[in-house]
Amino acid sequence: VLPGMGSKLLFPEAFKTEGVGSSADAAFPIAVMRLMPSPLLGLQVAAMLAALMSSLASVFNSASTVFTMDVWRRLCPRASEKELVFVGRMVVLVGTVLGLLWIPLLQGMKSGLYVYTHKMMGYLAPPITVVFLGGLLWPRANAPGASACLLYGGVVGVTRLIGEILIPPPVFPATSAMDFFHFNFLHFTFFLGSTSFVVLVAVSLLTKPPPYHCIHGLTYQHRHRPTAGAIQMASLSLPPNPPSSVTRSDRAGEGPSGGPLTVGSDVFVK
């Protein structure tokens, strides 16, 4: 934000285009090209390209891993490692092609790249946030409610995104039904989050509650209760049984001298 504001103050002739469109997206490159000397300019461009490649690589790697391990492995349980690697590479290739095809659609959004990234988060993040907080704070939330919330939020958010790109703004926003695709995206984010919460609560209450053994120790209400995995690990870390040379009277709690049985520094009492 600050480099863009400084660039606009230093080079106002580069921002004569009204609005916050492509001229605002070029604020940082303009400042870099006009302020930095030639050797540092090449270094800065290389750093920007490296950061871009790193971000894209992490996104494509995460997408291919999720699809390969969570989707393809369930569809083909006997898939070999070689097949999984090939599927992951194909997912990266498809993601790259879809990203290139999405570029022309971005030109229809006049808000600029910075606002576009926040719009994407505002359209896709609310249902995920509602499911996370609902599962953490409300023990009654269950899997059908979470699935319905994610499905509803995804459909509504993507519909709003596509409609905002393809449908032109209405002439009279206050009286047009198409205003759904063009009113402020922050207001839409609040609307999507609120309705996703309603969907989560309604579907969870209409279906069976989750079993207690699946939520104890995992929600805020049961945060001080150990989970089933913790109980199992604790049982594995218990001290071993007394040596087999201990007599029957010793097992009753008395040593050879009539006192408590001691083995090393431990005291075994019935």
Side-chain angles (χ1 to χ4, degrees):
V1 176
L2 294 180
M5 296 173 61
S7 178
K8 187 173 183 179
L9 292 176
L10 293 174
F11 314 107
E13 68 280 0
F15 298 88
K16 294 181 180 180
T17 304
E18 295 183 359
V20 288
S22 59
S23 60
D25 293 335
F28 185 71
I30 290 174
V32 170
M33 290 186 295
R34 298 191 180 186
L35 293 178
M36 302 189 71
S38 296
L40 294 181
L41 176 60
L43 182 62
Q44 179 64 33
V45 172
M48 293 173 61
L49 293 177
L52 177 62
M53 294 172 60
S54 175
S55 301
L56 292 177
S58 62
V59 170
F60 288 142
N61 181 65
S62 301
S64 63
T65 302
V66 170
F67 180 85
T68 303
M69 305 304 294
D70 295 343
V71 178
W72 189 261
R73 210 169 188 179
R74 291 178 179 270
L75 297 177
C76 303
R78 299 183 179 180
S80 62
E81 294 293 332
K82 185 176 181 180
E83 179 181 352
L84 294 177
V85 171
F86 176 78
V87 172
R89 292 175 177 175
M90 291 299 101
V91 171
V92 173
L93 178 61
V94 173
T96 303
V97 173
L98 292 178
L100 294 175
L101 295 177
W102 191 258
I103 293 177
L105 297 178
L106 296 181
Q107 298 177 354
M109 302 189 69
K110 301 180 180 180
S111 56
L113 186 60
Y114 179 80
V115 178
Y116 166 75
T117 56
H118 286 74
K119 284 185 176 181
M120 289 292 294
M121 290 187 291
Y123 297 163
L124 301 178
I128 301 175
T129 305
V130 169
V131 169
F132 176 78
L133 293 179
L136 180 65
L137 302 176
W138 189 39
R140 186 61 175 79
N142 56 14
S147 300
C149 177
L150 293 175
L151 180 61
Y152 163 80
V155 170
V156 176
V158 172
T159 302
R160 157 75 187 223
L161 177 63
I162 296 176
E164 182 178 357
I165 297 175
L166 300 180
I167 300 176
V171 179
F172 302 102
T175 59
S176 175
M178 293 297 100
D179 186 49
F180 173 79
F181 299 105
H182 296 283
F183 72 96
N184 189 280
F185 77 96
L186 294 177
H187 297 167
F188 177 81
T189 301
F190 176 78
F191 163 78
L192 183 59
S194 303
T195 53
S196 298
F197 174 77
V198 173
V199 171
L200 173 67
V201 173
V203 177
S204 297
L205 293 178
L206 294 175
T207 53
K208 295 182 180 180
Y212 177 76
H213 68 274
C214 294
I215 62 172
H216 74 283
L218 301 178
T219 63
Y220 183 80
Q221 182 177 349
H222 307 113
R223 62 190 184 279
H224 297 306
R225 303 179 186 180
T227 61
I231 296 176
Q232 184 178 6
M233 292 299 296
S235 64
L236 295 176
S237 61
L238 291 176
N241 294 327
S244 57
S245 60
V246 180
T247 62
R248 182 175 302 177
S249 61
D250 293 337
R251 292 193 181 95
E254 296 181 356
S257 59
L261 173 64
T262 61
V263 180
S265 60
D266 298 328
V267 179
F268 295 89
V269 181
K270 183 179 179 181

